[in-house]
Amino acid sequence: MQTHFSLAQLADPDTREADKILRACVHCGFCTATCPTYVLLGDELDSPRGRIYLMKDMLENNRPASAQVAKHIDRCLSCLSCMTTCPSGVNYMHLVDQARHRIETTFKRPLAERWLRGLLALVLPRPWLFRPALLAAWLTRPLARVLPGRLGTLAALAPKRLPSPSTVDRPQVFPAEGARRKRVALLTGCAQQVVAPQINEATVRLLTRHGCEVVVARGAGCCGGLTHHMGRDSLSFAKANIDAWTREAAAGGLDAIVINTSGCGVTIKDYGYMLRSDGAYAKQAAQVSALAKDVSELMTELVLNAPTVTTGRRVAYHSACSLQHGQQIRGAPQALLAKAGFTVVEPPEAHLCCGSAGTYNMLQPEIAGRLRARKVANIESTSPEIVAAGNVGCITQIAGGTDVPVVHTVELLDWATGGPMPAALARL
Ligand code: SF4
Ligand code: SF4
């Protein structure tokens, strides 16, 4: 694609990067076929190619974002399915991240939208705020159908059960069982520890059982991904994590930073890029990104122990977009589940997003609801007893649309190798 940036514009490193990305696009449109919003809405402006044209026009002409740009970029899930499909290697992620930031800083949204976005950006990354907010949403859950607009959407998304905080998420060190093979830091994250603390608990049991000393580093928290995808500040979160893990690496060494929420994995693996121009952080950020591993990558390296119980259940594996497209991790979780004794089935249209996408299901509930219905129908067509996924957002989203229990992959691996049966499976 030809671009027309001036030399003055190209002096800016972000514009240079956008120029490079835009030039790689050859308008072939292969990406449209696998884009969930184009598949649903059939509008070229809701396809990756259409959005690339909108972003090009905005950036080249140095314009503030228009209502049209905001509408179609807001509808993008950042699922990155288009990057998997693109034969030209167009880095849509870095382009849309830049566009979202421009929208956030130059476009004035309606008041209710600004209020909702501000609230989500403030509350979700901070467990001490999210926990009471979730309690309020849970109390209003029975009224979800009658509450007006977004309030009803938020109430409906509250989980059926509110778990207690887990002690696992506090800063501490869990010793390896037997001889220590690796020393790893675990990202305990933000929203996940509030809605599904059993995931970190299962991860710690699984990793220590396989010879890892697991560190929950003081000062580490939200990866910044939630606010990054809203075009807001994410670097303060990134820097806090980089400081915490760099201190930990200096004190005792780190073989990996383990992430069990694949959406966060995409962001942490991108810290090196996000902070590439920051003199004080660029090197450490790149080191942190290089150490980041999804838990399924680490477990593949460690080699899963033989199962200690007969699991034998039929598991539909839902491949989170952030794992299959964002991190290009495809077969590892399925292979681990099969090794643990489960019969793994992959539902049709596995490349399509479930509609969760960070805060997307709260900001675009209509499209998210349609994507969930489609995903659940595809999953249920395989007649599973259990659904497994590697991202808490997908787990919450899918669980809201089906009676089949939905759990994290690590909960099943932990159960198979000596841990407790996941509570969600008690009724099986
Ligand atoms: S990130 Fe997903 S929703 Fe956005 S343009 Fe690409 S395929 Fe479509
Ligand atoms: S597949 Fe890649 S090169 Fe083709 S239109 Fe989409 S982004 Fe551009």
Side-chain angles (χ1 to χ4, degrees):
M1 182 182 282
Q2 272 198 339
T3 57
H4 302 284
F5 290 102
S6 67
L7 285 177
Q9 283 176 302
L10 290 172
D12 170 53
D14 285 341
T15 308
R16 271 204 307 280
E17 192 62 32
D19 181 54
K20 196 171 93 191
I21 298 168
L22 290 165
R23 281 172 178 267
C25 177
V26 294
H27 330 238
C28 65
F30 289 170
C31 52
T32 57
T34 58
C35 170
T37 53
Y38 183 74
V39 169
L40 278 192
L41 306 170
D43 182 340
E44 172 74 12
L45 293 181
D46 286 314
S47 78
R49 185 173 57 183
R51 292 184 175 118
I52 286 171
Y53 278 119
L54 287 175
M55 292 188 275
K56 175 179 186 287
D57 181 58
M58 174 175 73
L59 295 173
E60 261 183 358
N61 294 300
N62 211 8
R63 289 199 187 110
S66 64
Q68 186 195 40
V69 170
K71 173 179 162 184
H72 295 288
I73 299 297
D74 283 355
R75 283 183 182 171
C76 169
L77 295 132
S78 277
C79 69
L80 309 181
S81 174
C82 47
M83 284 180 64
T84 296
T85 312
C86 177
S88 302
V90 172
N91 195 323
Y92 179 87
M93 178 172 94
H94 288 158
L95 190 64
V96 83
D97 285 349
Q98 213 179 114
R100 289 193 201 280
H101 182 65
R102 163 112 24 159
I103 293 168
E104 205 52 33
T105 48
T106 63
F107 179 68
K108 194 164 182 188
R109 299 175 191 279
L111 184 63
E113 184 81 11
R114 271 184 279 150
W115 175 84
L116 178 61
R117 285 175 172 264
L119 186 74
L120 294 175
L122 176 72
V123 169
L124 288 178
R126 297 170 178 86
W128 57 276
L129 283 177
F130 184 38
R131 198 163 278 117
L134 200 64
L135 176 64
W138 179 77
L139 289 171
T140 54
R141 200 170 187 272
L143 306 172
R145 282 178 194 280
V146 293
L147 283 172
R150 295 292 172 79
L151 284 178
T153 306
L154 294 178
L157 284 169
K160 292 175 189 145
R161 196 181 64 84
L162 272 191
S164 309
S166 172
T167 53
V168 155
D169 297 316
R170 297 180 192 151
Q172 60 197 300
V173 179
F174 298 91
E177 284 180 26
R180 187 177 95 176
R181 297 166 66 193
K182 286 184 190 289
R183 186 171 193 270
V184 303
L186 173 67
L187 172 84
T188 52
C190 53
Q192 175 177 279
Q193 61 173 264
V194 179
V195 296
Q198 75 279 6
I199 296 174
N200 285 340
E201 290 172 352
T203 305
V204 168
R205 284 192 301 266
L206 182 69
L207 293 177
T208 52
R209 189 179 304 129
H210 286 80
C212 292
E213 180 174 295
V214 180
V215 183
V216 177
R218 186 173 297 281
C222 173
C223 69
L226 281 166
T227 47
H228 188 57
H229 291 149
M230 296 169 85
R232 294 177 174 231
D233 169 55
S234 54
L235 296 183
S236 53
F237 293 106
K239 287 178 180 177
N241 286 337
I242 292 165
D243 285 341
W245 291 325
T246 303
R247 268 196 310 270
E248 203 50 63
L254 281 181
D255 298 306
I257 295 161
V258 187
I259 300 140
N260 58 17
T261 309
S262 56
C264 309
V266 175
T267 305
I268 294 170
K269 287 182 176 180
D270 206 39
Y271 279 178
Y273 175 84
M274 288 160 65
L275 286 158
R276 68 197 183 286
S277 311
D278 187 313
Y281 275 89
K283 190 168 162 221
Q284 291 168 358
Q287 284 166 345
V288 162
S289 290
L291 279 174
K293 278 194 168 81
D294 183 74
V295 64
S296 63
E297 291 179 285
L298 182 65
M299 283 310 303
T300 303
E301 245 177 78
L302 291 168
V303 182
L304 192 75
N305 293 347
T308 57
V309 290
T310 308
T311 48
R313 302 284 187 171
R314 188 173 168 83
V315 176
Y317 178 73
H318 163 71
S319 190
C321 297
S322 39
L323 211 51
Q324 61 166 324
H325 304 306
Q327 299 184 56
Q328 298 290 310
I329 296 172
R330 300 226 171 77
Q334 298 93 316
L336 288 164
L337 287 168
K339 191 152 192 262
F342 296 97
T343 302
V344 184
V345 290
E346 289 195 54
E349 295 192 327
H351 63 283
L352 285 185
C353 181
C354 65
S356 167
T359 53
Y360 192 92
N361 54 0
M362 291 168 253
L363 296 171
Q364 300 284 338
E366 199 268 327
I367 300 173
R370 287 170 69 186
L371 286 170
R372 176 170 73 183
R374 192 168 175 141
K375 179 60 70 183
V376 166
N378 278 320
I379 287 173
E380 290 184 346
S381 75
T382 63
S383 308
E385 294 170 275
I386 304 169
V387 182
N391 191 52
V392 69
C394 310
I395 293 170
T396 313
Q397 172 81 347
I398 296 168
T402 181
D403 289 331
V404 181
V406 190
V407 296
H408 195 290
T409 309
V410 293
E411 293 183 82
L412 296 181
L413 300 181
D414 174 46
W415 172 37
T417 57
M421 177 193 262
L425 308 188
R427 64 177 187 269
L428 284 181

